[in-house]
Amino acid sequence: MEWETVIGLEIHAQLSTKSKIFSGASTAYGAEPNTQACAVDLGLPGVLPVLNREAVGMAVRFGLAIGAPIAPRSIFARKNYFYPDLPKGYQISQYELPVVGRGQVEIELEDGESRTIGVTRAHLEEDAGKSLHEDYHGMTGVDLNRAGTPLLEIVSEPDMRSAREAVAYMKKIHALVRYLEICDGNMQEGSFRCDANVSVRRKGTEKFGTRAEIKNLNSFRFLERAINFEVERQIDILEGGGAVVQETRLFDPDKGETRSMRSKEEANDYRYFPDPDLLPLDIEPAFIEQVRGSLPELPDEKKHRFMSDHGLSAYDAGVLTASREMAEYFEQVAAAVEGQAKLAANWVMGELAGALNREGREITDSPVSAEALGGLLRRIQDNTISGKIAKEVFEAMWAGEGDADQVIEHKGLKQITDTGAIEQVIDQVIADNPSQLEQYRSGKDKLFGFFVGQVMKRTGGKANPAQVNDLLKQKLS
Amino acid sequence: MHDKTIAELAADLRDGKVSSVELTGHYLRRIESLDNRLNSLITVTAEQALETARAADAARARGEAGPLTGVPIVHKDIFCTDGVRTSCGSRMLDNFISPYDAGVVERFKAAGCPVLGKTNMDEFAMGSSNETSYYGPVNNPWDTQRVPGGSSGGSAAAVAARLAPGATGTDTGGSIRQPAALTGITGLKPTYGRVSRWGMIAFASSLDQGGPMARTAEDCGLMLNVMAGFDERDSTSLERPAEDFNARLNTTLKGLRIGLPREFFGEGMDPGVARVIDEAIDFYKKLGAEFVEVALPHSGLSVPVYYVVAPAECSSNLARFDGVRYGYRCEDPKDLMDLYMRSRGEGFGPEVQRRIMVGTYALSAGYFDAYYLKAQKIRRLIADDFRQAFEQVDVILAPTTPTTAFRLGEKTADPVTMYLSDVYTIAVNLAGLPAMSLPAGFSQGLPVGMQLIGNYFDEARLLGVAHQYQLGTEWHQMAPAGFE
């Protein structure tokens, strides 16, 4: 029996406003518990919310970036439930009328194919606080620093058909919110997390299967593992003649499995209703246009520009625009070696990405700056060193031994381009290898490589490979 | 001294006939000797009041006094007051010392008004008799066996008994006007959004509005001049140009068109109340006003609509009282659910619990459309009725309540009977209009209130219409026996 997986994601992106969505308290991460919670965040009697204009601007930025309509009027609603870290006993969210309507994003898969994923809606809401279960001697501590932090909840259509697509979509949204500078994307700190709705159905059927919602996934890897586990679990149930139960599940990364949190029957009735403390949010067309005018170049636009301006392949352009920082780095390197963008692309995606990966560093944290890498590639371009030697220089630069010119100078790696000097070496090599010469001249063309190797060996790899080729051809003929 | 109005006291202070310390001390002594008969105050803040009085006298000496500097008042215990218990009439907040001032409290502080204390009220402003207070009922100074009305019953009784020249109140369904009527004082519920709700503990956010309670319309205007104004901390606060609400006190009523809603003069009204209102109508006719019958066809639905909307909002507004961060917490909770259930079960009284349950039900999946949504639609129709009426008339006149003050305990057994005592006041809150109640006579020794309803932002006109009545009548000057 063939099964098809159906996935929809609800992504929570914490908006990087300075203050909270309904109060003036700071949103900075990592402060002592409850030091960034004012009367409003604590839900004291008599306090009232006032909407943060900056948060609205950020939601509009996102909406425009996914080609979605911005609601001229949206409504804040109360989602009512009791929890110790929910100070007011309700969360202010948007329910029937969200600020961002239906949009879409393109995702690229590793096989080079791309797919369109629908975004149903995105709405503004406040985050809850945190319950701390450790170190309180059987009691629970409550930290309300996070309470009232603005979130943009981005709800997708059930358009994804595999864990990989889900990851690609989440990565795409992650890149987008960072390009837009509306979310720092820090997944460890919980600034970017998602819930996954997962179901399976027999291939070819229209009707969706019963779904499970996996809560609070805060890494791409967890998302992939959780979905894969969940799909297996559901298929096992169905193939065993059972039925999937609609429920909320939690992913345990240590065990690599999801487990039930609460069933549909135990689910809260949130009793949504319009928040009478807040007026409807009216957004003027002029405000939308102002935001539109301030939008940066978005990943897809950038990708197409990289393809047309720099002649890069779709794949390379996609990789290089996956994050704003990577794209900026690449453009700086490419500018240093004008006309050789492919060289820049190869180095950024090859040596640099490899070294970063090896040490688990971010590109913003690279020991070799874009400027320094550009300097190195200029030395390849002007024949000071060969590509092969450049790798050696790069490693030295990575280790902090100076810029490209210093390393080349210090290690004496300057390429030999003096025709006389190269000819001298070639003559010696020919003289020292009479039998190979004879075989070559009698038609064993393959031996040409042997002579190149010998010359390079004797010059310590510093001879200009193109010149060696040319001169050898003359001498051997 | 205590028989004087705020306007007169302010003049005496200005003229140096009395100091704020003397005045404040006098009222504090009255409270000490008389309030045991009324129970109108939950907390007396004598020290703070005298301190403010001294500062007020000093400010006056420096020539820095405003219109009300030095005039003492009391605040309904629904307004958060920095450093003072703010109980909202509930066991839930019996231990709550507010760490901040409500917008209204700030404004009276800035105006230099000493605060004598915090007044008793129905628990979380839910009640029409002041009998739901955790601190016990308030007695009506006109007959201490009777209720003063609610929920601002403590404020009304304190002003009627001359324990304070003015008091703040809040009005969600009549909580300023109904007790004003039952105690023979003047009270104004302003247009929704006039007075900041910041720091005013929410009952039903879309209906709650703070306002003044005093003996005369002029005094209410003086207080509203202090209370009203835009507050950026309240998103429903109205940004309007500053206004002197007493600017039209002396405007002639000649040609004033007064509407009489036929729906407010039907069955259920006490004949004594009807007689008093008829006399008031005759009075206004003599002043040259014209009377026009108007229709408010949906007003009959206002009580049921109110008892869906207000409980729905309260069920959510009161969710924060969970025993976790402040307020009442039950002893030895065995788990989270036990903490919630016992803290709320023991901290809230029966009327509050009833409304939370009604509201929770009205918002529940499957019932939301039939109750909450339907109620909101009718609410719009009620507001439309008023809009059409105000195309024909300048103000609307009606009784404030169907009866005079009832006996303590008389209606506590039957919530619906109790709810009906607000039948004439509730529609105004649903529409967000300004309205006031002023003393218009007596029936069997008990005060009767007349209600004046104005169009949006028409407080100044309302106060003028009331003031003209008070210039020609003495009902507002009557003091209950034993409190003269």
Side-chain angles (χ1 to χ4, degrees):
Chain A
M1 183 64 61
E2 277 238 73
W3 296 94
E4 182 175 54
T5 304
V6 175
I7 302 160
L9 298 187
E10 290 168 22
I11 293 175
H12 290 89
Q14 182 183 316
L15 298 175
S16 39
T17 54
K18 284 181 226 53
S19 59
K20 294 185 177 177
I21 185 166
F22 298 117
S23 84
S26 166
T27 53
Y29 180 82
E32 283 293 298
N34 299 309
T35 56
Q36 285 179 180
C38 67
V40 173
D41 309 319
L42 294 172
L44 288 187
V47 299
L48 296 168
V50 176
L51 179 60
N52 182 336
R53 188 183 169 88
E54 204 187 349
V56 176
M58 289 181 173
V60 172
R61 275 168 90 79
F62 180 79
L64 294 175
I66 60 163
I70 305 301
R73 166 166 285 199
S74 62
I75 304 282
F76 285 96
R78 293 186 184 176
K79 180 180 182 179
N80 295 284
Y81 64 97
F82 285 96
Y83 205 68
D85 59 25
L86 188 72
K88 299 186 294 297
Y90 58 85
Q91 176 195 29
I92 305 176
S93 180
Q94 295 191 304
Y95 184 55
E96 281 187 332
L97 291 172
V99 60
V100 174
R102 199 189 160 94
Q104 59 181 53
V105 295
E106 292 279 318
I107 58 168
E108 281 91 35
L109 303 173
E110 276 158 27
D111 58 12
E113 267 189 62
S114 72
R115 273 177 54 82
T116 302
I117 307 295
V119 175
T120 316
R121 59 183 280 173
H123 65 254
L124 285 164
E125 63 183 26
E126 59 179 344
D127 208 344
K130 269 184 196 157
S131 292
L132 311 166
H133 299 289
E134 284 146 31
D135 307 330
Y136 290 93
H137 316 287
M139 294 190 290
T140 297
V142 175
D143 176 7
L144 296 175
N145 283 351
R146 202 180 65 184
T149 299
L151 298 177
L152 188 66
E153 179 171 332
I154 303 158
V155 182
S156 85
E157 290 289 297
D159 283 352
M160 287 152 276
R161 295 290 173 268
S162 69
R164 295 203 152 191
E165 287 185 18
V167 169
Y169 167 77
M170 192 178 179
K171 281 186 171 166
K172 186 63 184 253
I173 298 290
H174 187 253
L176 201 54
V177 296
R178 282 164 35 105
Y179 263 82
L180 294 167
E181 293 183 310
I182 61 173
C183 171
D184 66 17
N186 190 323
M187 299 174 80
Q188 278 88 49
E189 291 175 6
S191 303
F192 192 87
R193 54 191 197 261
C194 86
D195 304 334
N197 284 296
V198 180
S199 64
V200 297
R201 63 181 171 191
R202 284 177 207 283
K203 220 163 207 161
T205 52
E206 284 279 309
K207 200 167 168 283
F208 291 133
T210 305
R211 67 171 198 267
E213 183 182 15
I214 312 165
K215 285 290 210 192
N216 243 336
L217 297 159
N218 67 348
S219 90
F220 299 124
R221 212 160 47 87
F222 291 171
L223 173 67
E224 184 164 2
R225 287 169 61 202
I227 291 173
N228 284 335
F229 175 88
E230 186 57 24
V231 168
E232 288 294 310
R233 188 186 72 87
Q234 292 185 15
I235 291 174
D236 282 352
I237 290 172
L238 294 171
E239 289 187 341
V244 173
V245 180
Q246 186 175 334
E247 62 184 351
T248 302
R249 298 179 71 84
L250 271 182
F251 177 65
D252 180 343
D254 296 331
K255 293 188 177 147
E257 60 185 35
T258 65
R259 59 167 186 271
S260 182
M261 200 169 134
R262 57 173 180 260
S263 72
K264 191 185 173 188
E265 285 71 32
E266 299 164 88
N268 284 307
D269 176 357
Y270 292 121
R271 291 169 284 123
Y272 282 99
F273 75 108
D275 191 333
D277 286 333
L278 290 162
L279 301 175
L281 170 59
D282 288 332
I283 300 181
E284 302 288 329
F287 180 75
I288 296 174
E289 289 320 305
Q290 186 195 325
V291 172
R292 197 191 302 278
S294 74
L295 285 183
E297 188 182 30
L298 297 173
D300 288 349
E301 291 163 31
K302 215 183 256 296
K303 178 183 158 191
H304 289 118
R305 184 169 61 78
F306 280 13
M307 289 165 70
S308 59
D309 289 9
H310 299 307
L312 299 182
S313 70
Y315 177 78
D316 288 359
V319 172
L320 290 170
T321 53
S323 82
R324 189 171 180 158
E325 291 81 4
M326 169 91 96
E328 276 167 7
Y329 190 105
F330 162 75
E331 288 214 276
Q332 244 185 299
V333 176
V337 287
E338 217 175 316
Q340 293 205 40
K342 179 68 187 161
L343 177 69
N346 286 345
W347 272 82
V348 172
M349 298 189 316
E351 291 303 304
L352 178 76
L356 290 171
N357 242 344
R358 190 176 67 213
E359 297 192 5
R361 286 175 184 252
E362 294 298 319
I363 197 160
T364 45
D365 186 30
S366 168
V368 177
S369 69
E371 196 192 345
L373 183 59
L376 173 62
L377 301 196
R378 262 200 305 275
R379 294 295 159 263
I380 299 175
Q381 202 180 21
D382 67 12
N383 285 328
T384 307
I385 52 174
S386 66
K388 200 170 166 214
I389 292 291
K391 290 183 183 179
E392 194 182 330
V393 178
F394 178 83
E395 288 305 326
M397 289 165 71
W398 186 271
E401 293 173 27
D403 66 20
D405 288 341
Q406 288 167 335
V407 172
I408 292 165
E409 174 70 34
H410 183 242
K411 297 204 161 184
L413 296 173
K414 199 167 183 309
Q415 188 160 262
I416 301 163
T417 51
D418 174 0
T419 310
I422 296 173
E423 275 181 331
Q424 225 173 351
V425 178
I426 289 174
D427 290 344
Q428 278 175 20
V429 168
I430 291 172
D432 292 349
N433 296 285
S435 65
Q436 279 84 353
L437 182 66
E438 203 179 297
Q439 287 176 45
Y440 177 80
R441 287 198 168 139
S442 61
K444 208 166 177 192
D445 290 349
K446 275 185 187 165
L447 277 170
F448 186 76
F450 164 79
F451 287 105
V452 173
Q454 288 299 309
V455 174
M456 294 311 280
K457 197 175 168 188
R458 290 192 188 193
T459 58
K462 289 184 286 184
N464 180 302
Q467 281 175 293
V468 170
N469 266 332
D470 288 350
L471 292 170
L472 256 178
K473 270 182 191 150
Q474 291 169 24
K475 296 267 179 189
L476 292 174
S477 59
Chain B
M1 203 181 321
H2 54 265
D3 206 40
K4 294 190 172 178
T5 64
I6 290 175
E8 290 163 348
L9 293 172
D12 285 355
L13 284 163
R14 202 161 45 236
D15 298 342
K17 289 184 185 161
V18 69
S19 72
S20 178
V21 170
E22 286 167 334
L23 203 52
T24 304
H26 176 76
Y27 279 109
L28 287 170
R29 282 189 296 279
R30 275 185 73 77
I31 289 169
E32 203 182 330
S33 62
L34 295 171
D35 197 41
N36 53 2
R37 288 152 65 181
L38 301 177
N39 193 29
S40 72
L41 288 149
I42 292 173
T43 305
V44 177
T45 50
E47 258 176 61
Q48 294 99 315
L50 288 167
E51 194 181 312
T52 311
R54 281 190 290 274
D57 288 335
R60 189 172 293 285
R62 290 195 305 272
E64 291 168 7
L68 295 192
T69 300
V71 177
I73 56 154
V74 287
H75 282 306
K76 185 176 182 179
D77 209 18
I78 200 168
F79 290 103
C80 284
T81 314
D82 193 2
V84 176
R85 171 174 63 180
T86 300
S87 73
C88 221
S90 180
R91 183 186 194 187
M92 183 60 86
L93 291 178
D94 184 49
N95 66 1
F96 178 66
I97 310 291
S98 174
Y100 77 107
D101 277 332
V104 163
V105 172
E106 282 175 350
R107 284 174 162 269
F108 278 105
K109 247 183 202 175
C113 296
V115 177
L116 304 167
K118 308 287 298 286
T119 61
N120 203 343
M121 56 182 285
D122 278 301
E123 185 178 8
F124 284 102
M126 297 175 200
S128 308
S129 66
N130 217 109
E131 292 168 292
T132 70
S133 171
Y134 174 61
Y135 300 92
V138 175
N139 303 325
N140 191 321
W142 292 95
D143 176 350
T144 53
Q145 300 302 303
R146 291 177 186 267
V147 303
S151 67
S152 310
S155 289
V159 172
R162 278 78 172 144
L163 304 186
T168 56
T170 60
D171 191 316
T172 304
S175 283
I176 286 176
R177 292 160 288 155
Q178 186 254 19
L182 269 42
T183 59
I185 66 162
T186 307
L188 169 65
K189 175 216 131 27
T191 306
Y192 182 80
R194 274 280 195 203
V195 172
S196 169
R197 293 190 299 114
W198 172 259
M200 193 177 103
I201 298 175
F203 158 19
S205 313
S206 72
L207 301 162
D208 297 342
Q209 183 61 200
M213 302 174 82
R215 299 230 304 284
T216 67
E218 183 185 15
D219 284 1
C220 284
L222 289 170
M223 287 182 72
L224 189 60
N225 280 345
V226 173
M227 293 175 85
F230 177 66
D231 186 344
E232 62 179 10
R233 297 165 299 185
D234 173 2
S235 304
T236 61
S237 171
L238 295 163
E239 215 165 352
R240 304 270 304 173
E243 182 178 347
D244 173 11
F245 293 103
N246 278 348
R248 297 171 71 174
L249 288 187
N250 297 313
T251 303
T252 174
L253 303 189
K254 205 153 275 168
L256 182 81
R257 298 167 305 165
I258 301 179
L260 296 175
R262 66 175 78 97
E263 293 80 3
F264 285 29
F265 289 87
E267 57 183 304
M269 201 201 312
D270 180 278
V273 171
R275 177 183 48 78
V276 165
I277 298 301
D278 283 345
E279 285 168 13
I281 292 170
D282 287 342
F283 180 90
Y284 276 119
K285 280 181 179 161
K286 284 187 195 128
L287 290 186
E290 296 162 17
F291 280 85
V292 182
E293 194 179 89
V294 293
L296 300 172
H298 297 95
S299 60
L301 295 169
S302 54
V303 173
V305 165
Y306 177 86
Y307 280 98
V308 171
V309 174
E313 292 183 13
C314 106
S315 71
S316 175
N317 282 334
L318 270 58
R320 69 189 58 197
F321 305 109
D322 56 6
V324 173
R325 297 168 314 290
Y326 54 79
Y328 180 79
R329 179 187 283 203
C330 67
E331 296 275 337
D332 302 321
K334 68 176 199 294
D335 56 25
L336 182 62
M337 196 48 76
D338 188 44
L339 169 76
Y340 283 152
M341 295 190 32
R342 281 202 292 124
S343 297
R344 289 168 67 79
E346 295 162 14
F348 290 139
E351 181 61 25
V352 170
Q353 293 188 28
R354 171 159 40 236
R355 296 202 196 187
I356 289 173
M357 282 190 280
V358 168
T360 303
Y361 181 83
L363 290 176
S364 295
Y367 300 99
F368 180 84
D369 290 5
Y371 291 103
Y372 184 82
L373 221 51
K374 183 72 137 243
Q376 290 294 359
K377 284 177 187 161
I378 300 171
R379 187 175 177 178
R380 213 164 302 138
L381 296 175
I382 289 169
D384 280 347
D385 285 354
F386 278 109
R387 191 179 47 72
Q388 284 171 24
F390 282 116
E391 286 169 7
Q392 305 167 57
V393 298
D394 303 307
V395 298
I396 290 171
L397 187 153
T400 308
T401 57
T403 66
T404 53
F406 41 92
R407 279 176 213 288
L408 286 159
E410 187 179 326
K411 298 189 179 180
T412 43
D414 182 0
V416 174
T417 314
M418 183 75 88
Y419 296 168
L420 285 172
S421 67
D422 293 331
V423 66
Y424 301 145
T425 49
I426 277 175
V428 163
N429 298 79
L430 292 168
L433 293 164
M436 58 190 298
S437 177
L438 60 159
F442 288 83
S443 172
Q444 297 178 331
L446 294 169
V448 174
M450 158 170 64
Q451 184 174 207
L452 294 172
I453 303 167
N455 209 343
Y456 298 104
F457 313 117
D458 233 359
E459 288 86 351
R461 189 205 297 265
L462 278 184
L463 288 165
V465 174
H467 182 69
Q468 289 300 308
Y469 181 82
Q470 291 183 334
L471 284 179
T473 57
E474 292 180 345
W475 308 118
H476 61 286
Q477 291 169 2
M478 309 280 187
F483 298 94
E484 298 94 340

